Amino acid sequence: MKIVDSHSHIDDEKFDIDREEVISLFDENKIDFIVDPASDVKSSEKIVEIVKKFSRVYGAVGIHPHEVEDITDDDLKKIYNLSFSNKIVAIGEIGLDYYYDNSPREKQKEIFRKQLEIAKKRNLPVIIHTREAMQDTFDILSEFKGDITGVMHCYTGSFEMAEKFINLGFYISISGVVTFKNATNVREMAKKIKLDNLLIETDSPYLTPEPNRGKRNESKFVWLVAQKLSELKNIEINNLIYNTNSNARNLFKINN
Ligand SMILES: [Zn+2]
């Protein structure tokens, strides 16, 4: 059985030296497909080109909250236009980050709302990044209830909050953080998320799962995330993957 990695930054410069090789090993590593989310206009443009070249790579276009400070309506127009490209399956990653506060919070909220408008207009799902900004993220997504679906990427919040996002029509995506020694809360939460609501991801090249921490993260390590979740949930790994794969296909409307 092959596995889907729902969030993998294969466009990252850390893959500039060996991107083709890494992707050529997808068969050997039993990777079905990956979705590569953007962080700014430049990476959105790069992703649009990458997905043309590699059949197993799909993409998203959008502006990460770290990068919104100098974003203009002209840039948003570019994102809108890029979203029409072949194999662009979502708007992302977008959201709020009050941990790093790289951009002013008011500007983060403004650009977040404007990108949700783009997703709504284009009828595309969204990939959400949120850090130390759970309530504001929830409040803004609630304004679009019924009009937008998506995924809470690398979710590490409470189960109670996860249920609220699920009620808005969102999937909860678990990353390699679930393997980290100190991540007891994430394991407790992940245990309770129903298979119907679950996605898995690497967030490669970041967040390398145990026991490989310190190495560059790659999509093949999504198997370690699946392995850990199947143990926690006490279900067969094939059953888990069958569900998370079909959830990803359903969310991103991929029918290959
Ligand atoms: Zn990411």
Side-chain angles (χ1 to χ4, degrees):
M1 195 163 195
K2 286 183 183 169
I3 190 167
V4 172
D5 181 359
S6 71
H7 193 115
S8 176
H9 299 277
I10 196 74
D11 67 292
D12 192 282
E13 59 182 20
K14 291 197 178 72
F15 290 108
D16 282 352
I17 43 160
D18 62 351
R19 182 171 300 109
E20 268 198 72
E21 194 193 337
V22 170
I23 296 172
S24 74
L25 293 173
F26 276 8
D27 256 340
E28 195 171 309
N29 292 315
K30 297 198 167 62
I31 305 293
D32 189 339
F33 64 85
I34 68 170
V35 178
D36 183 350
S39 53
D40 54 16
V41 173
K42 211 173 135 222
S43 67
S44 298
E45 287 167 345
K46 189 172 179 182
I47 288 165
V48 161
E49 293 308 313
I50 288 173
V51 301
K52 281 182 196 161
K53 218 171 143 190
F54 302 103
S55 63
R56 304 282 186 75
V57 183
Y58 292 81
V61 295
I63 319 279
H64 191 287
H66 285 344
E67 313 291 339
V68 299
E69 183 157 16
D70 300 318
I71 292 299
T72 61
D73 282 345
D74 210 46
D75 294 319
L76 292 170
K77 182 80 188 158
K78 283 182 191 159
I79 296 296
Y80 176 77
N81 289 336
L82 288 168
S83 77
F84 286 90
S85 308
N86 206 7
K87 293 171 74 195
I88 295 302
V89 295
I91 300 296
E93 55 187 283
I94 62 174
L96 302 172
D97 193 312
Y98 297 168
Y99 179 76
Y100 287 108
D101 268 332
N102 284 359
S103 311
R105 292 181 183 183
E106 284 314 308
K107 181 81 185 210
Q108 289 193 41
K109 289 189 213 172
E110 179 203 328
I111 302 298
F112 185 28
R113 282 197 177 92
K114 284 183 171 170
Q115 295 191 92
L116 289 167
E117 286 294 345
I118 292 174
K120 181 179 164 181
K121 203 165 157 189
R122 294 284 298 109
N123 194 23
L124 285 171
V126 291
I127 299 168
I128 302 295
H129 171 102
T130 181
R131 190 149 183 207
E132 307 269 314
M134 202 65 95
Q135 192 59 48
D136 281 2
T137 303
F138 177 76
D139 290 344
I140 291 174
L141 289 177
S142 300
E143 296 166 14
F144 293 82
K145 184 169 186 181
D147 292 324
I148 278 184
T149 61
V151 51
M152 302 305 296
H153 129 72
C154 189
Y155 184 79
T156 55
S158 69
F159 175 69
E160 289 68 30
M161 204 66 212
E163 280 195 305
K164 289 182 162 193
F165 287 113
I166 290 165
N167 285 334
L168 284 183
F170 279 72
Y171 287 95
I172 302 298
S173 182
I174 302 294
S175 70
V177 172
V178 75
T179 68
F180 293 1
K181 287 191 175 67
N182 58 2
T184 315
N185 291 342
V186 175
R187 280 187 284 279
E188 286 310 308
M189 173 273 294
K191 225 188 253 187
K192 296 184 207 157
I193 304 287
K194 288 201 192 88
L195 281 178
D196 286 350
N197 307 122
L198 192 67
L199 292 187
I200 53 178
E201 64 171 280
T202 56
D203 201 17
S204 143
Y206 314 106
L207 301 176
T208 312
E210 292 286 2
N212 296 327
R213 287 188 82 176
K215 287 189 196 168
R216 178 182 73 176
N217 198 4
E218 291 182 25
S219 282
K220 64 183 176 189
F221 296 145
V222 75
W223 282 102
L224 296 169
V225 181
Q227 182 62 44
K228 176 54 88 178
L229 280 169
S230 80
E231 285 165 29
L232 285 172
K233 291 178 161 306
N234 197 21
I235 54 174
E236 296 236 354
I237 191 163
N238 280 349
N239 182 14
L240 180 100
I241 295 167
Y242 177 83
N243 281 278
T244 53
N245 285 0
S246 71
N247 291 344
R249 283 199 162 78
N250 182 37
L251 176 64
F252 297 119
K253 303 182 191 92
I254 292 171
N255 309 307
N256 65 5

